[in-house]
Amino acid sequence: MPLLHSDVKLAIAGSLDQFFKDHEHYKDSSQTLKDQTIRSVGPEGLLYVNQREIAGTTPEDGVIKYLGTEDATTCHILVLRHSGSGAVVLSHFDGTNTEEGVKVVMTLIKELSQGIEGRMELHLAGGFCDDRHMSVKLSLDILNAFSTFEENVHLLTACITDLNNVKKNGVDFPVIYGLAVDVKTGDIFQANFPEKGPDMDIRSARNFTGGHELVNIYDHKTNLMTIGPFSYEPLSYLDFWMKQPDDFLLQNLSTSPEQEPPGFIQHIKETLAVMKKHPRPKQTVFPGNKGHEYKKEQNGSWTLLK
């Protein structure tokens, strides 16, 4: 079945403008989400999901209380929850392998809710009216991908692109940059994350060097987060990028330079630095082709298991 709202099939045209005209009720739910005060989350109980990552768990998880992600400009944040089991999956989509990523999300939510009656409820947020129209393409790609499944998926929130847009001095910006979901209650809310967890530089290096798959980083059965293993080719132009001024990096390594949040340049520099230090990560970061397994501690830190 295609996407539903109040058990009615949603018509997804080739135009996002037409979609919002046909389904004006999403303006109200989007406004409710945008009107929220941004909450700082973690590190206690937080599992942070980076770009091109997916994570899911259930309310029975004694370690993870919140799933969250931020720094979305043209990117979209996806939360899919099963009403019966309370299982929830969160992902950060950037337009890479969108259809396959949606399949991974659907497979995971079904695994987490196996044998339990209930409905799948979808929340989307992110994007804005960017000049390159990357947001609108991603919005339509996600909506169309969910429309291909046999299972009913109820789209409750679509705070995306046009509905997530605000003008500041005549320039378009996204309203929502970050989102979190309370695993026990299913509540979604605007959030930021002062501490994002381990290996953020190498996790971003995977994306920077063409890691196209959206990967599941968490095992709800063992309560372990796994990063890697993955590899990338040594980059001959890395020294060039590392010598460039901040504005050059911003203009050339961002899909939306004016809209990037604070910390973007520092994060890029850390990513370039780790790529310089580890040109062959399967040898130096993931020896023996083994990923990093982390256990979440009560104080919010992650302990690397040997």
Side-chain angles (χ1 to χ4, degrees), residues 9 43 52-53 156 163 220 222 267 271 273:
K9 174 183 173 181
R52 297 187 200 169
E53 292 180 348
L156 302 189
L163 296 187
H220 74 286
T222 62
H267 182 57
T271 301

Side-chain angles (χ1 to χ4, degrees), residues 154-205:
H154 297 260
L155 181 61
L156 302 189
T157 307
C159 188
I160 49 179
T161 307
D162 302 64
L163 296 187
N164 191 45
N165 193 77
V166 64
K167 283 191 178 290
K168 300 178 181 179
N169 298 321
V171 179
D172 294 298
F173 282 82
V175 177
I176 296 174
Y177 280 85
L179 210 65
V181 55
D182 186 315
V183 172
K184 292 194 181 300
T185 66
D187 292 336
I188 63 169
F189 54 91
Q190 287 197 65
N192 59 29
F193 309 92
E195 296 184 36
K196 293 180 170 64
D199 288 342
M200 285 302 299
D201 49 4
I202 198 72
R203 290 158 76 178
S204 294

Side-chain angles (χ1 to χ4, degrees), residues 11-302:
I12 301 174
S15 163
L16 193 62
D17 288 339
Q18 189 61 51
F19 176 80
F20 287 135
K21 289 178 182 177
D22 293 340
H23 311 291
E24 293 187 350
H25 45 265
Y26 288 117
K27 291 182 180 180
D28 293 335
S29 58
S30 296
Q31 195 61 50
T32 299
L33 190 59
K34 290 186 293 185
D35 287 342
Q36 291 179 348
T37 300
I38 299 173
R39 294 163 54 182
S40 290
V41 176
E44 294 86 356
L46 170 66
L47 175 56
Y48 184 85
V49 179
N50 197 34
Q51 193 170 326
R52 297 187 200 169
E53 292 180 348
I54 295 169
T57 191
T58 70
E60 288 71 42
D61 194 318
V63 178
I64 301 302
K65 299 177 181 177
Y66 302 100
L67 301 175
T69 190
E70 67 174 341
D71 298 337
T73 53
T74 56
C75 293
H76 286 32
I77 302 165
L78 183 156
V79 177
L80 184 62
R81 183 174 185 269
H82 189 275
S83 65
S85 66
V88 63
V89 176
L90 183 144
S91 185
H92 187 135
F93 282 75
D94 67 355
T96 303
N97 272 6
T98 301
E99 186 174 354
E100 289 302 314
V102 168
K103 289 179 181 177
V104 175
V105 168
M106 285 290 288
T107 299
L108 182 55
I109 197 72
K110 287 189 283 187
E111 175 190 326
L112 293 169
S113 307
Q114 193 169 12
I116 301 175
E117 292 294 325
R119 70 178 197 172
M120 285 181 279
E121 299 174 342
L122 178 61
H123 303 270
L124 298 173
F128 69 105
C129 297
D130 62 285
D131 292 339
R132 297 166 65 184
H133 308 294
M134 298 180 70
S135 299
V136 67
K137 182 181 185 304
L138 182 53
S139 292
L140 288 171
D141 284 349
I142 292 174
L143 293 173
N144 283 313
F146 272 103
S147 297
T148 63
F149 294 101
E150 293 181 0
E151 297 86 356
N152 293 341
V153 178
H154 297 260
L155 181 61
L156 302 189
T157 307
C159 188
I160 49 179
T161 307
D162 302 64
L163 296 187
N164 191 45
N165 193 77
V166 64
K167 283 191 178 290
K168 300 178 181 179
N169 298 321
V171 179
D172 294 298
F173 282 82
V175 177
I176 296 174
Y177 280 85
L179 210 65
V181 55
D182 186 315
V183 172
K184 292 194 181 300
T185 66
D187 292 336
I188 63 169
F189 54 91
Q190 287 197 65
N192 59 29
F193 309 92
E195 296 184 36
K196 293 180 170 64
D199 288 342
M200 285 302 299
D201 49 4
I202 198 72
R203 290 158 76 178
S204 294
R206 182 184 76 92
N207 300 332
F208 195 85
T209 54
H212 297 306
E213 297 83 8
L214 277 81
V215 295
N216 181 10
I217 62 171
Y218 185 69
D219 187 336
H220 74 286
K221 296 177 182 177
T222 62
N223 300 126
L224 297 180
M225 177 174 66
T226 301
I227 305 302
F230 56 83
S231 186
Y232 46 76
E233 294 298 320
L235 302 179
S236 58
Y237 54 82
L238 190 56
D239 289 336
F240 166 80
W241 287 109
M242 295 183 72
K243 294 176 182 178
Q244 301 310 308
D246 291 359
D247 187 61
F248 184 90
L249 295 177
L250 182 64
Q251 294 299 322
N252 288 276
L253 298 181
S254 169
T255 60
S256 47
E258 290 185 89
Q259 292 79 14
E260 290 294 353
F264 174 80
I265 290 297
Q266 181 61 32
H267 182 57
I268 287 292
K269 290 181 176 180
E270 291 170 356
T271 301
L272 295 174
V274 79
M275 292 164 61
K276 176 73 172 179
K277 184 178 180 180
H278 299 287
R280 295 176 177 84
K282 279 197 175 180
Q283 297 178 18
T284 57
V285 181
F286 307 111
N289 202 32
K290 294 182 178 179
H292 292 174
E293 289 189 336
Y294 289 96
K295 174 186 176 183
K296 187 74 167 177
E297 304 294 350
Q298 292 298 321
N299 65 0
S301 64
W302 290 94

